[in-house]
Amino acid sequence: MAARKLNVAIAGLGRMGARHALHLLGSTPRANLTAAFSPSDKELAWAQHHLTPYGVTLYKDYGEMLRHEGLEAVLIATVTTVHAEMAIKAIEGGLHVLCEKPLSTSVEVSQTVVDAARRRPDLKVMCGFSRRFDASYRDAWERVKSGSIGRPSVFRSQTCDKIDPSGFFVDYAQFSGGIFVDCNVHDIDLMCWYFSLTPSTPVKSIHAIGITAIQPGLKKHNDVDNALGLIELHDGRIATVYSSRMNAPGQHDTTEIIGTAGKISVNANPATNLLEVHEGDGIRREIPPTYYERFKEAFIKEVNEFVGCVLDGKDLPLGLEQAVMAVRIAGWLQESLVKGVKIDFDQDGKRVERAKL
C-alpha cells in the first residue's frame, strides 16, 4: 500500500514561490504538488514549462485554486501584502497553511491570522522562519538549551545580502515593510528563540539607525540599505541586529549568543564548502552568493517538517504568536529608524513618552 501523501498547492511563483514549488516536486517525498496559483502571466508561463508536465493544475484565480479537488494544504509565497488575506481564506476553506514570513508587515493584520487559526484548531498553520530549520542554528539552540554557555545575555545577529544592481530591493521596498521587517525579522525571531521570549516578555527600549549608501531610490519608501538596531529587555539582556544590502562577496548571515559561561557563534566565517583557492594573489574561500544558496536545505526541511506535522498529527515546531512577536519588534525598529527616535517601554509594555527639550 502506497504511503499517504499530503495534497499541497503553492500560491505565488516568484523567486521563492518557484523554488518552493520545485522543492515540493522533487524534495518533499510525503507531499503531492497538485495546484499552483499566480496572477502573473510570466510566472504562469514558467509554471507551464516546469510544473504542468508533472500534473500540476495552474490557476490565475486564488479562490478557484482553493477549491481544487482533494486539496489539503497551501504554501503561500506571494508578496507580503497579501500573505494574511490568503492565509485566512485558506484557513476558512479548511486547509492547512504554511506561509512565508512575515504574516504581514502589520502586527494587527498578523494577529488576524492568529485569530483565524485559533478558530480552527484542527488545522496546522505555520509561518516559515527558515533559519529555525538550519542544522547549525538548531545545533546552537540545543547547546543553549542545555545550559552549556550559562544564561544567554547578549545576542548579536546580522543579515547581509549580496549587492543586487537590478533594483529589485528598491522596487520591493514598497511592499516589504522596510529593512527590519524584511531582513532582520529573521534575526529578531532568533533572538526570541534563543532568549526563550514570549509575547508577554517586556521590552525596555528600541533604537535604530541606518544609512542609504548605494541605493538612493530606497529613500522614497522610507527605507535604507544598511541598518543597525538595539533591543533592550527589562530583564537586563540586550540584542543588536544589523542588515545590509551591499555585501560585496555574497551572503553573510551570522549570529552570536553570548552567555554567562560561554559563547556560541553561527557562520562567523562563511564558506560555500571546504574548498580553498590558492592563487598568485592570495588564498580565498568562496561564500554563498544569495540567501537561498545559504539556506536551501533549511527551506526544504521546513516544508518537510510541516508536511510531517500535518500527516502525523504532531505539534508544529513554532507557533504563530512567535511570528507576530517578531513582526512587532521589527516594526518598532523600523519606526525608530524612520522617526529618528529611541522608543521606551515600561514593565507593562506601555510606551514611555520622552520629555521634549
Side-chain angles (χ1 to χ4, degrees):
M1 181 177 177
R4 161 146 154 67
K5 291 189 175 186
L6 186 72
N7 291 327
V8 183
I10 180 80
L13 294 169
R15 296 208 303 184
M16 274 314 305
R19 290 162 176 165
H20 278 305
L22 295 178
H23 294 165
L24 283 164
L25 281 178
S27 303
T28 315
R30 301 185 71 189
N32 179 32
L33 180 62
T34 62
F37 156 80
S38 174
S40 164
D41 290 333
K42 180 180 179 180
E43 292 175 7
L44 288 174
W46 174 90
Q48 190 73 38
H49 179 71
H50 291 90
L51 304 183
T52 302
Y54 298 94
V56 180
T57 303
L58 306 183
Y59 293 91
K60 202 169 185 179
D61 182 282
Y62 180 66
E64 186 180 354
M65 186 195 73
L66 294 182
R67 296 187 293 273
H68 182 85
E69 184 177 357
L71 185 61
E72 299 171 282
V74 179
L75 194 165
I76 298 172
T78 52
V79 293
T80 302
T81 49
V82 295
H83 280 182
E85 175 188 350
M86 288 188 164
I88 291 170
K89 284 183 178 179
I91 294 167
E92 291 176 344
L95 301 173
H96 305 282
V97 175
L98 171 57
C99 183
E100 265 290 341
K101 67 81 194 167
L103 294 174
S104 170
T105 59
S106 159
V107 172
E108 292 76 19
V109 175
S110 297
Q111 185 61 43
T112 63
V113 181
V114 177
D115 296 340
R118 284 175 178 166
R119 292 191 291 269
R120 290 298 306 263
D122 56 314
L123 299 176
K124 303 292 185 184
V125 183
M126 187 174 86
C127 184
F129 280 94
S130 54
R131 292 187 206 182
R132 289 200 185 214
F133 299 87
D134 176 75
S136 296
Y137 278 103
R138 282 199 165 173
D139 189 3
W141 163 244
E142 291 299 328
R143 293 171 188 271
V144 168
K145 188 171 64 171
S146 74
S148 67
I149 63 168
R151 181 176 186 259
S153 303
V154 179
F155 176 89
R156 299 193 299 178
S157 194
Q158 70 176 41
T159 296
C160 293
D161 294 333
K162 183 177 176 64
I163 295 174
D164 182 354
S166 72
F168 170 82
F169 290 118
V170 176
D171 293 336
Y172 191 63
Q174 61 185 308
F175 308 113
S176 71
I179 196 165
F180 284 109
V181 176
D182 185 36
C183 293
N184 284 132
V185 73
H186 284 291
D187 305 286
I188 296 163
D189 176 64
L190 290 174
M191 176 199 72
C192 296
W193 190 26
Y194 292 126
F195 277 1
S196 297
L197 303 187
T198 68
S200 61
T201 303
V203 172
K204 185 177 181 180
S205 70
I206 294 283
H207 190 206
I209 56 174
I211 61 170
T212 304
I214 61 170
Q215 296 174 326
L218 288 168
K219 292 180 180 179
K220 65 183 178 183
H221 301 300
N222 283 325
D223 207 7
V224 297
D225 50 32
N226 285 265
L228 180 66
L230 176 63
I231 304 158
E232 182 184 15
L233 304 178
H234 273 287
D235 64 11
R237 293 183 289 177
I238 56 173
T240 61
V241 294
Y242 167 62
S243 53
S244 175
R245 300 289 200 189
M246 63 175 199
N247 198 46
Q251 193 74 26
H252 188 189
D253 305 325
T254 183
T255 300
E256 282 187 327
I257 310 104
I258 304 166
T260 54
K263 180 180 81 169
I264 293 173
S265 297
V266 179
N267 201 38
N269 298 296
T272 300
N273 50 38
L274 300 178
L275 177 72
E276 280 189 350
V277 180
H278 296 242
E279 297 175 327
D281 56 353
I283 301 173
R284 62 183 172 84
R285 293 178 302 173
E286 295 183 348
I287 70 174
T290 69
Y291 185 88
Y292 175 70
E293 276 77 17
R294 166 64 182 89
F295 291 105
K296 178 181 178 180
E297 295 305 314
F299 283 116
I300 293 172
K301 189 168 184 62
E302 172 187 272
V303 176
N304 275 276
E305 286 198 15
F306 171 77
V307 169
C309 287
V310 174
L311 291 175
D312 300 332
K314 295 181 179 179
D315 291 337
L316 293 167
L318 68 156
L320 287 179
E321 292 82 1
Q322 294 161 310
V324 177
M325 178 169 54
V327 170
R328 178 179 291 110
I329 294 172
W332 286 336
L333 285 166
Q334 196 71 28
E335 179 185 349
S336 174
L337 171 70
V338 172
K339 294 182 178 179
V341 297
K342 180 184 178 185
I343 305 173
D344 296 300
F345 303 88
D346 63 19
Q347 288 275 7
D348 297 322
K350 297 179 180 178
R351 295 198 182 203
V352 176
E353 296 299 326
R354 299 169 66 87
K356 295 182 180 180
L357 298 177

